[in-house]
Amino acid sequence: MKNIKDYQHKKILVLGLAKSGVSAASLLHKLGAFVTVNDKEPLEKNPEAQGLLQEGIKVICGSHPIELIDEGFELIVKNPGIPYSNPLVCRALERGIPVITEVELAYKISEAEIVAITGTNGKTTTTTLIYEILNADENKAPLIAGNIGTVASEVAQKAKENNQMVVELSSFQLMGIKEFRPHIAIITNIYEAHLDYHGTKEEYAKAKANITKNQTKHDYLIVNDDQSELMDLVSFSQARIIPFSTTRYIKEGCSLHNGEIVFLGETVIQQSEIVLPGSHNLENILSAVAAAKLMGASNEAIRKVLTTFKGVKHRTQFVMEIEGRKFYNDSKATNILAARSALNAFHQPVILLAGGLDRGNSFDELVPYLKNVKALITFGQTAGKIEEAGHAAGIESIIRVDNVEKAVPVAYQLSSPGDVILLSPACASWDQYKSFEIRGDIFIDAVHKLV
């Protein structure tokens, strides 16, 4: 880690804890900053805050008092989940106090080259693929971080010059960058999402495009050429654009051509050798191959991974087969597009488990993709809206339950041998579960209880 002096003796507020806030507060404390942590959870119920208190860090818990901003902070490091409409954040911006997220800290201290991945869908699969390919190459030493699980500023503290940091980033995180500059950036795709946070698709897309705002001609931006609006969005980028496409051959990019994955004119692997299912995953594979090749990975390492990699947990993950019924956990389908992709991957009858946080959208666009769904089990805030889509699709068997755990045995009772029982919620989990991972694990546990 670079022992930078940028934050030494500066008065800094870390707003909101969770994993990113704890890491940011501890790191800034090590770097000599005068840190104050503010979290809405009361101290007696806040083990993270208690731990920071023991480190000698000032902690204020229980609310976000607006008067905190009068204490002369020079910088705020905000938890990505706290919206910019938060009164304390608004007041800080009015006063010209910079507001960043912890990924900015990670960039400032990292000795490793960074490849950063964002997009509406496919981020986790792409990030994991790149990491696995680099890990399979004996000349590489990758580290994985960011929105995928391990906090970037924590991983960056361990990163050396011989490492490669592969970082998954959300739009929330990218709104809070100032100097962050990945050597390789990827935007997998852009669709309407997180409107409850960003307000409009345009603002959401602009946040995603921040991934390339500080790149120079010495950097690379890998981007989905099949989305013309995305190509227009990043036209300002100073990086070398590496387009990828599943629909046409691009000699100066990465594409599918005559049944082969081709990068800059070189055949890397036959499509028939790839075991990861689903047409949507082809985008992820193309962008991962492009990044791995730009980082010097061998074709042998790429083939080793793509001929064995079957997907990541919670993303169309095969759980088990019981009496001819196959169970799939797609809890990471936190929006309609992701659920559509999962439904498209199956041709047999499907029992669909769906529902979750209500972000104000309808589910009309899901209707055409419900043609193979023989029964629909709903739960959560959006249960009623998803049921409306089910009725519009002509699904006769629609049942509402309290939660995912109760949905599994009901789905099994409605199923027959040869059916797929699919958890693909099309919604975020936060109305009932702290994360999509917890929701997916509960589904897996419930499936195992059927045996």
Side-chain angles (χ1 to χ4, degrees):
M1 139 177 165
K2 296 176 184 172
N3 188 23
I4 59 173
K5 305 296 183 185
D6 302 47
Y7 306 111
Q8 193 170 39
H9 307 314
K10 283 193 174 181
K11 201 169 181 184
I12 300 175
L13 174 65
V14 174
L15 186 61
L17 280 179
K19 291 185 288 187
S20 66
V22 171
S23 178
S26 292
L27 173 59
L28 288 165
H29 186 60
K30 288 179 194 171
L31 294 172
F34 301 122
V35 181
T36 297
V37 169
N38 176 222
D39 192 63
K40 66 179 180 180
E41 191 72 23
L43 185 62
E44 61 272 15
K45 297 180 181 179
N46 200 327
E48 292 91 353
Q50 292 170 22
L52 293 171
L53 200 58
Q54 290 176 358
E55 288 184 40
I57 295 171
K58 183 180 177 181
V59 173
I60 299 170
C61 289
S63 67
H64 295 308
I66 193 71
E67 59 270 17
L68 252 184
I69 211 66
D70 297 324
E71 294 193 11
F73 294 109
E74 299 171 69
L75 176 70
I76 292 178
V77 181
K78 181 184 74 65
N79 182 288
I82 295 175
Y84 283 81
S85 57
N86 177 284
L88 208 156
V89 176
C90 289
R91 186 71 60 86
L93 293 173
E94 285 169 8
R95 296 190 181 185
I97 302 170
V99 178
I100 64 171
T101 52
E102 60 84 31
V103 293
E104 181 77 6
L105 304 179
Y107 169 72
K108 299 276 276 189
I109 66 166
S110 176
E111 296 179 19
E113 185 175 87
I114 294 176
V115 53
I117 302 95
T118 197
T120 304
N121 291 316
K123 298 184 294 296
T124 299
T125 299
T126 303
T127 302
T128 306
L129 276 170
I130 295 168
Y131 171 78
E132 294 292 347
I133 291 168
L134 295 176
N135 202 40
D137 192 305
E138 61 182 19
N139 296 314
K140 303 297 176 186
L143 302 169
I144 194 165
N147 203 42
I148 197 168
T150 309
V151 178
S153 57
E154 184 179 321
V155 174
Q157 294 179 55
K158 307 168 189 172
K160 305 296 182 186
E161 284 187 13
N162 67 316
N163 292 128
Q164 306 82 37
M165 264 187 73
V166 187
V167 186
E168 178 186 328
L169 297 175
S170 69
S171 57
F172 303 165
Q173 292 167 309
L174 286 166
M175 283 185 78
I177 64 168
K178 302 297 180 188
E179 299 176 36
F180 179 80
R181 175 190 159 197
H183 179 52
I184 299 172
I186 298 174
I187 305 179
T188 58
N189 47 54
I190 295 286
Y191 297 97
E192 192 172 276
H194 300 301
L195 298 191
D196 54 333
Y197 189 101
H198 293 285
T200 65
K201 183 183 177 183
E202 289 70 28
E203 288 301 311
Y204 168 68
K206 208 188 315 182
K208 291 290 193 185
N210 273 352
I211 200 169
T212 188
K213 79 171 186 177
N214 296 316
Q215 287 189 298
T216 72
K217 63 181 181 181
H218 303 294
D219 302 315
Y220 297 93
L221 173 62
I222 300 166
V223 64
N224 192 339
D225 189 73
D226 292 334
Q227 290 194 318
S228 57
E229 61 181 315
L230 177 52
M231 298 301 290
D232 291 341
L233 178 70
V234 299
S235 59
F236 72 91
S237 177
Q238 298 302 303
R240 178 182 170 185
I241 303 287
I242 305 292
F244 67 87
S245 173
T246 62
T247 61
R248 69 184 187 90
Y249 175 59
I250 305 177
K251 187 176 181 182
E252 296 304 314
C254 195
S255 52
L256 180 64
H257 183 58
N258 293 332
E260 300 173 334
I261 302 295
V262 181
F263 176 72
L264 300 184
E266 175 195 4
T267 296
V268 178
I269 187 173
Q270 300 289 325
Q271 186 185 9
S272 59
E273 297 179 75
I274 297 168
V275 298
L276 185 62
S279 56
H280 61 289
N281 277 319
L282 192 53
E283 287 185 356
N284 306 329
I285 289 165
L286 291 172
S287 57
V289 167
K293 291 290 288 181
L294 289 172
M295 298 183 86
S298 66
N299 287 353
E300 181 184 2
I302 293 170
R303 282 194 290 269
K304 183 178 179 181
V305 171
L306 293 184
T307 55
T308 57
F309 184 82
K310 295 182 179 180
V312 298
K313 191 176 183 183
H314 308 298
R315 196 69 183 96
T316 327
Q317 171 200 3
F318 175 65
V319 178
M320 66 187 303
E321 182 174 338
I322 302 174
E323 298 292 331
R325 289 88 162 164
K326 292 183 177 179
F327 291 80
Y328 287 86
N329 165 31
D330 193 42
S331 184
K332 199 175 188 303
T334 57
N335 56 51
I336 293 171
L337 179 72
R340 280 169 36 184
S341 296
L343 288 164
N344 263 348
F346 299 105
H347 302 290
Q348 54 269 68
V350 172
I351 314 292
L352 177 64
L353 282 60
L357 182 72
D358 191 348
R359 282 182 159 142
N361 58 288
S362 76
F363 292 84
D364 294 347
E365 60 183 289
L366 195 61
V367 173
Y369 299 87
L370 299 174
K371 57 184 180 296
N372 288 336
V373 175
K374 63 182 277 188
L376 176 62
I377 317 297
T378 66
F379 48 83
Q381 291 177 357
T382 57
K385 289 183 175 181
I386 293 175
E387 287 162 11
E388 289 177 11
H391 289 303
I395 300 171
E396 293 184 6
S397 185
I398 300 176
I399 298 174
R400 186 182 303 191
V401 296
D402 292 339
N403 52 45
V404 168
E405 186 175 17
K406 291 185 177 179
V408 171
V410 173
Y412 184 70
Q413 289 168 10
L414 294 171
S415 66
S416 306
D419 290 351
V420 163
I421 297 174
L422 171 67
L423 171 67
S424 192
C427 304
S429 63
W430 302 321
D431 60 330
Q432 293 184 306
Y433 308 100
K434 285 186 177 180
S435 68
F436 70 81
E437 292 97 337
I438 291 172
R439 179 172 63 188
D441 287 339
I442 287 171
F443 173 77
I444 293 169
D445 289 344
V447 171
H448 284 283
K449 286 176 183 175
L450 295 174
V451 181

